[in-house]
Amino acid sequence: MTKITIIGSEKSGKTTLAGKLGKKGSVSDITMYDFAKNERVLTTIDATGYPASPKALVTALNLSDIAILCVPPEGLDPLAAECIIALDLLGYKHGMIVLTKSDLSYPFALEELKEKLQKITKGTALENWEYHTISTTTFEGMEELKEMIFTLDEKVEAEQRKQDELPARVVIDQSFNVTGIGCVVLGVVSQGTINAKDKMTAYPVKKGLEIRSIQMHDIDVKSAPTGARVGLALKSIQSKDIDRGFVISNDEIVATDLTLECTLSQLAKEFQVGDMLHLFVGLQSSPVKVVSIIQDGENCETAKPGKKYVIQLSGSKEIAYSKGDRFVLANLDGKQRFFAAGYSQ
């Protein structure tokens, strides 16, 4: 199953393109579109709550395996630049850059825009991404785009099969009650394989549960591998006990205070001890206060762009995570809100 997020500025044509890639489904701060043909299933996610909410962008990217950055003929604006920073901080492996509204430009101008973007993205996670040109009016190039997506998904699929034997984790994005069934959640198997009747735990609330049944694409299945988007009927827990971002697993770390080894983006602004920031990990987020900043074993008052630091953070909300999860820090009052990424110590 292919899961992609389409991102870009508000006038990039991303929402129009998402609507052409599937049938509109659930709508919240993210909108999902589904496409199925033969054995191919494509779920497209549009972060419709972005740019008002950076959380919508992080949520969409963490629910997907592939990202498409849409850039119109006018080129990058601050929001598209912020998308590039977010993708780089997340270390996003798979994606492509789509030059939209090609019918409003000329081949020479589009080639010039491509060269400019290649210079901007050099040294970032997007450096080796492919480019594709498409009209968001006549939709010329749409079938070629789908083929490019499915080809890229073959690489994703091969990587995911190597993770099927890891300890199972499911990241939840929706939870609700169904009459006669009880608690039902929707989410993505981020690693491992889950099975019906598995006994697991919901984090960070640490409530035990049993997977009553599993559905994929509205079909009952006995198990689901890494990368699968699933609907789970759960026993021994209520839907009110589970929020977006919760993790169903057998072993997670739960904490409010964190120590992260972080690298600041070259485009970030400096911040200081005592500043309030916003922390993202998976689909979870929390406001945090900077308690200390350490560089090369020495305490300092200010963290500066492009440098690496050990940062101690204090929060008031429990966060569930595993070693190896990537954290992203943001300043919600800044023009470029995402500015640092790192791992827990």
Side-chain angles (χ1 to χ4, degrees):
M1 176 182 179
T2 309
K3 304 182 299 299
I4 67 168
T5 285
I6 299 186
I7 62 175
S9 60
E10 292 176 290
K11 296 182 180 181
S12 64
K14 67 182 180 72
T15 298
T16 302
L17 183 57
K20 275 291 181 179
L21 285 171
K23 183 180 179 181
K24 194 172 185 178
S26 61
V27 179
S28 56
D29 58 338
I30 59 173
T31 301
M32 294 193 177
Y33 300 83
D34 295 308
F35 166 83
K37 185 177 182 181
N38 300 325
E39 294 183 356
R40 286 180 164 177
V41 178
L42 170 65
T43 295
T44 304
I45 304 174
D46 178 17
T48 43
Y50 178 80
S53 169
K55 184 177 180 179
L57 179 65
V58 175
T59 296
L61 290 172
N62 277 295
L63 286 173
S64 304
D65 308 306
I66 299 168
I68 292 179
L69 175 64
C70 294
V71 181
E74 297 82 6
L76 289 179
D77 65 4
L79 291 176
E82 184 174 69
C83 288
I84 291 174
I85 293 170
L87 288 164
D88 189 44
L89 291 174
L90 285 167
Y92 221 84
K93 289 181 66 176
H94 300 291
M96 65 185 76
I97 297 173
V98 172
L99 306 181
T100 57
K101 304 181 182 180
S102 61
D103 50 314
L104 302 180
S105 188
Y106 302 94
F108 177 78
L110 290 170
E111 187 61 32
E112 199 173 54
L113 175 58
K114 176 182 173 181
E115 291 175 1
K116 188 180 294 184
L117 290 169
Q118 286 174 327
K119 290 179 181 178
I120 291 170
T121 57
K122 188 175 181 179
T124 72
L126 293 73
E127 181 173 7
N128 296 314
W129 285 15
E130 288 191 57
Y131 287 75
H132 184 62
T133 302
I134 195 166
S135 166
T136 38
T137 304
T138 65
F139 297 101
E140 181 181 353
M142 178 61 72
E143 291 307 312
E144 293 86 348
L145 177 62
K146 287 182 180 179
E147 288 305 315
M148 289 176 69
I149 292 169
F150 286 124
T151 298
L152 196 53
D153 188 55
E154 290 174 4
K155 297 180 182 179
V156 174
E157 178 81 12
E159 292 174 1
Q160 289 174 338
R161 296 295 65 79
K162 295 177 182 179
Q163 300 180 62
D164 286 343
E165 301 304 316
L166 295 175
R169 299 179 82 202
V170 182
V171 177
I172 303 303
D173 65 272
Q174 294 182 53
S175 173
F176 47 89
N177 187 73
V178 176
T179 303
I181 296 177
C183 178
V184 173
V185 298
L186 304 180
V188 172
V189 182
S190 62
Q191 69 174 45
T193 301
I194 57 169
N195 304 282
K197 310 305 178 186
D198 278 353
K199 289 180 171 59
M200 302 180 75
T201 302
Y203 293 92
V205 289
K206 299 181 182 178
K207 281 185 173 284
L209 58 85
E210 180 180 320
I211 299 176
R212 186 197 303 270
S213 62
I214 306 170
Q215 282 197 342
M216 294 172 57
H217 326 308
D218 298 323
I219 298 173
D220 288 326
V221 295
K222 292 184 178 179
S223 64
T226 301
R229 179 155 181 82
V230 293
L232 307 179
L234 304 177
K235 290 175 62 176
S236 306
I237 196 167
Q238 299 181 52
S239 59
K240 65 180 179 65
D241 296 323
I242 301 182
D243 288 329
R244 176 193 278 182
F246 278 29
V247 180
I248 293 177
S249 170
N250 282 315
D251 186 21
E252 298 290 313
I253 302 166
V254 177
T256 54
D257 300 338
L258 296 154
T259 300
L260 304 182
E261 185 173 339
C262 289
T263 300
L264 271 67
S265 166
Q266 293 281 1
L267 301 176
K269 286 188 175 181
E270 63 183 38
F271 65 88
Q272 299 179 329
V273 172
D275 284 355
M276 290 300 299
L277 307 177
H278 213 80
L279 176 83
F280 295 95
V281 59
L283 307 192
Q284 302 168 89
S285 65
S286 174
V288 289
K289 183 178 181 179
V290 180
V291 175
S292 70
I293 302 171
I294 302 170
Q295 185 180 33
D296 299 326
E298 299 290 333
N299 283 296
C300 50
E301 288 297 312
T302 304
K304 298 185 177 181
K307 305 294 184 180
K308 184 179 287 186
Y309 299 93
V310 174
I311 303 171
Q312 292 184 330
L313 302 167
S314 177
S316 57
K317 178 181 176 182
E318 288 189 326
I319 295 290
Y321 66 96
S322 289
K323 289 289 185 181
D325 283 354
R326 187 186 290 253
F327 292 80
V328 172
L329 288 171
N331 179 353
L332 301 188
D333 297 322
K335 288 185 178 180
Q336 295 291 345
R337 290 167 287 187
F338 303 105
F339 65 82
Y343 299 91
S344 68
Q345 285 202 314

